[in-house]
Amino acid sequence: MKKFIIGLIFVSTVLLIGGVGMYVYSTFFSKPNYSATNSPTEVLKKENPDFNKANFYRKQGKYSEALTSYKTALGGATDSVQEAQIKFNIGLMLEFSGQYVPAIQMFKEVAANPAYTNIIKAYSVQEMGRMYHTYYGSTKIITDEIFKDAPYKDFMVGDEKLAYRKLFEYASSFYPIALTESFIANSYSGELFYTLKGASTTPEGKTAIASASLALLKANQYMEQVKNDPTEAALFGEIYSREALVVGQLAASNVPGYTNEQAEALHKKALSYAGVNNVLPGNFFVFKYALFLVMNFGQERAGDLQKLLAVFSVANSAQIDKNVVYFYKIARTNPVLTTSKEALVRMGTIDPAFKAYLLTLGWVETDFVRAKAD
């Protein structure tokens, strides 16, 4: 392994989740009128015109209009399952329109309602954690709002990273959704690699390994259950990408059973699901795979790295996720992203075309000092 692997909290590609998957409803929801082929979302589509109108606006990226229609649709909910689903969608629209505080308040409302099912509560708590990993410019606002009251304030014990691990573990206490488990696994693998310096044989190291491995197992079990559900599968790219980071960190810590080959296979799976789910080609899965290559192989895999990063060019702007562009811009000067900047410098050193792209985003020649020799 190279001297270090970036422990960056990556901005996730924001997928427009239309609702909890059909498998989840057929398996965990007790309402007899719902099934794998007749989920609450499908019922709402058939019976609630305002819900359909909201979905239409959402697909167009008109989140304010979608929000208004979802609020109207809420009045037409016929049971607590539909009510919870619509409120979850309202939270998403608030989030996507930049209203992070009311979005968090809505997710908390769903999670706290005893009439709602555990699975929708798990998704709501999970989404609060995802927000922190998505909107870099608003992390303080998001963190302050999440942890200001019970039970969440008890998770903040001085360490923000630990607080978010506890948040995801709280989500898992309702139900172990795969994405939630991948975040938990990443927290423990990062603790082993960075905090414990790869000391895998210490009591703390063994605990971190066991916890990361268990979370990976739970994630993969859940994915196997929902693999035929398109709504659930829409998140597989994000899950595989984070699992790749976990496996890479465990491999770097010389944990038996985890290898770079496994990590790379997971990166490739993430890319394949990005294509299936119509994620823009210039996405974070590509960046994280490139990060893996540059940190573990450097010049040795220059050809593969350049091929992977070719999507990032001015001529291809329409195919690049705007969140990735924003991340590249702020990584240049944000002190929190110092290690990320070093990684980007190394990428630019190996791939002149990628360096040229970064220069169009405000980077300057003096930023590109050659990374220290391994």
Side-chain angles (χ1 to χ4, degrees):
M1 296 293 293
K2 300 296 180 181
K3 285 185 178 179
F4 62 91
I5 300 175
I6 303 303
L8 169 65
I9 301 175
F10 293 101
V11 180
S12 300
T13 302
V14 178
L15 299 174
L16 303 185
I17 306 170
V20 179
M22 292 183 290
Y23 168 85
V24 170
Y25 280 119
S26 65
T27 306
F28 305 110
F29 281 51
S30 60
K31 296 289 183 180
N33 52 317
Y34 300 123
S35 68
T37 57
N38 198 49
S39 69
T41 295
E42 292 304 312
V43 173
L44 284 165
K45 287 178 181 179
K46 296 173 185 176
E47 301 178 357
N48 194 318
D50 291 301
F51 186 82
N52 284 325
K53 186 184 295 185
N55 287 340
F56 173 76
Y57 285 132
R58 176 179 58 80
K59 290 177 182 178
Q60 292 187 321
K62 297 180 178 180
Y63 304 129
S64 294
E65 291 88 342
L67 175 61
T68 299
S69 294
Y70 277 132
K71 287 180 177 179
T72 304
L74 188 60
T78 59
D79 57 37
S80 62
V81 175
Q82 291 183 17
E83 180 180 292
Q85 180 62 74
I86 295 172
K87 284 186 177 181
F88 178 72
N89 284 15
I90 288 174
L92 288 177
M93 294 310 102
L94 288 166
E95 172 189 337
F96 295 164
S97 60
Q99 300 179 64
Y100 303 136
V101 170
I104 291 168
Q105 291 171 347
M106 179 58 73
F107 292 136
K108 285 184 176 182
E109 178 181 329
V110 173
N113 194 321
Y116 298 161
T117 61
N118 281 344
I119 196 71
I120 198 70
K121 293 178 182 181
Y123 267 89
S124 295
V125 177
Q126 173 184 269
E127 192 60 26
M128 288 190 283
R130 288 184 79 211
M131 288 176 66
Y132 174 80
H133 290 261
T134 303
Y135 308 107
Y136 255 108
S138 302
T139 52
K140 186 179 187 306
I141 293 173
I142 291 168
T143 298
D144 288 347
E145 186 63 29
I146 290 174
F147 300 107
K148 75 177 186 180
D149 49 22
Y152 308 95
K153 66 180 180 180
D154 293 334
F155 303 160
M156 183 61 75
V157 291
D159 186 324
E160 193 169 279
K161 290 182 179 179
L162 180 57
Y164 276 97
R165 176 200 293 175
K166 290 184 177 182
L167 179 71
F168 283 114
E169 289 176 334
Y170 182 56
S172 181
S173 72
F174 291 114
Y175 196 81
I177 301 170
L179 184 59
T180 289
E181 296 301 324
S182 74
F183 274 107
I184 294 171
N186 193 183
S187 175
Y188 281 109
S189 66
E191 177 183 311
L192 174 67
F193 188 77
Y194 293 102
T195 306
L196 302 177
K197 308 300 181 183
S200 59
T201 59
T202 64
E204 296 82 2
K206 290 179 180 179
T207 297
I209 293 168
S211 298
S213 298
L214 178 59
L216 282 178
L217 176 63
K218 288 181 179 179
N220 291 331
Q221 287 176 335
Y222 185 89
M223 292 170 75
E224 178 62 27
Q225 292 172 333
V226 303
K227 63 184 179 182
N228 296 320
D229 186 331
T231 303
E232 295 285 346
L235 291 174
F236 278 18
E238 185 177 348
I239 296 164
Y240 280 131
S241 189
R242 191 162 295 279
E243 285 191 343
L245 181 58
V246 174
V247 172
Q249 289 172 333
L250 294 175
S253 300
N254 298 312
V255 178
Y258 296 96
T259 67
N260 277 340
E261 289 75 18
Q262 292 171 344
E264 185 163 9
L266 287 167
H267 280 299
K268 290 179 178 179
K269 279 188 175 183
L271 291 184
S272 70
Y273 273 94
V276 169
N277 291 310
N278 298 316
V279 176
L280 289 173
N283 55 62
F284 273 102
F285 308 150
V286 173
F287 169 70
K288 287 194 275 187
Y289 188 6
L291 181 70
F292 170 82
L293 292 178
V294 77
M295 290 299 127
N296 288 281
F297 304 101
Q299 192 65 42
E300 179 185 344
R301 299 282 297 273
D304 292 332
L305 182 69
Q306 291 167 7
K307 182 178 179 180
L308 195 60
L309 291 173
V311 66
F312 298 115
S313 70
V314 173
N316 201 40
S317 295
Q319 297 300 309
I320 303 173
D321 184 343
K322 63 181 181 180
N323 289 317
V324 178
V325 176
Y326 176 70
F327 171 74
Y328 286 165
K329 288 180 177 179
I330 66 171
R332 177 177 174 263
T333 56
N334 191 324
V336 175
L337 303 178
T338 299
T339 51
S340 302
K341 178 179 180 180
E342 182 176 348
L344 289 166
V345 167
R346 295 183 70 178
M347 290 180 194
T349 300
I350 295 173
D351 184 355
F354 183 66
K355 172 184 174 181
Y357 176 68
L358 292 179
L359 289 173
T360 69
L361 300 181
W363 288 60
V364 295
E365 286 289 345
T366 53
D367 291 323
F368 291 92
V369 293
R370 182 173 294 275
K372 295 180 180 180
D374 299 320

